[in-house]
Amino acid sequence: MKLTLNREYAQRHLFVAVLMFALACWFGYDGLIRYPATDAAELYRSIEKAEAPSGFDLDGFKEQKTKTQYGFALLSLLASLVVGARLAKSARFKFEFDDNSFAVNGKSRSYDEILEIDRKNWEKKGIVALKLKGDDAFSLDSWHHRGVNEFMELLKKRS
């Protein structure tokens, strides 16, 4: 049996990655195009919904708000990349198993090579960590992949 990417997990993470990218574009547009093209007094009125007090540094306000948009754009873009990278890593992870052996990312392994099964997060989170001979280790998360429960049942039968 092969583990497959959990569709709900993939959809939620893809949605968040796209949302964060869209926010990065929005903040980038404001910081690169809209704010520089807007008069400082008008920008103050549009953000604060009031007239600027007399003697207020409108140019400094505009510069600070423009820099803030750059920061928000960068943070949103980084969030999009992190979530997207995690999703891509989960999608690329290959795990197959049968009654005789299992394969991790194409490398066939024997059940006898399992040194330790860490089930401390299994009941609460559906995560199991396996330590193998040769300092290899990996985790299986039932939220990320379908089929982890079946693998755990097979391990239970083998013990």
Side-chain angles (χ1 to χ4, degrees), residues 137-156:
F138 63 93
S139 295
L140 298 175
D141 190 328
S142 61
W143 166 235
H144 297 182
H145 295 95
R146 292 181 184 212
V148 176
N149 293 334
E150 290 81 355
F151 179 70
M152 288 302 292
E153 287 298 319
L154 180 66
L155 286 181
K156 203 181 287 185

Side-chain angles (χ1 to χ4, degrees), residues 8-22 80 83 87:
E8 182 182 0
Y9 164 81
Q11 287 174 335
R12 286 183 183 199
H13 281 71
L14 184 59
F15 174 78
V16 170
V18 170
L19 176 66
M20 289 293 109
F21 183 77
S80 176
V83 172
L87 179 58

Side-chain angles (χ1 to χ4, degrees), residues 78-91:
L78 287 174
S80 176
L81 293 173
V82 167
V83 172
R86 283 185 49 106
L87 179 58
K89 182 181 176 186
S90 293

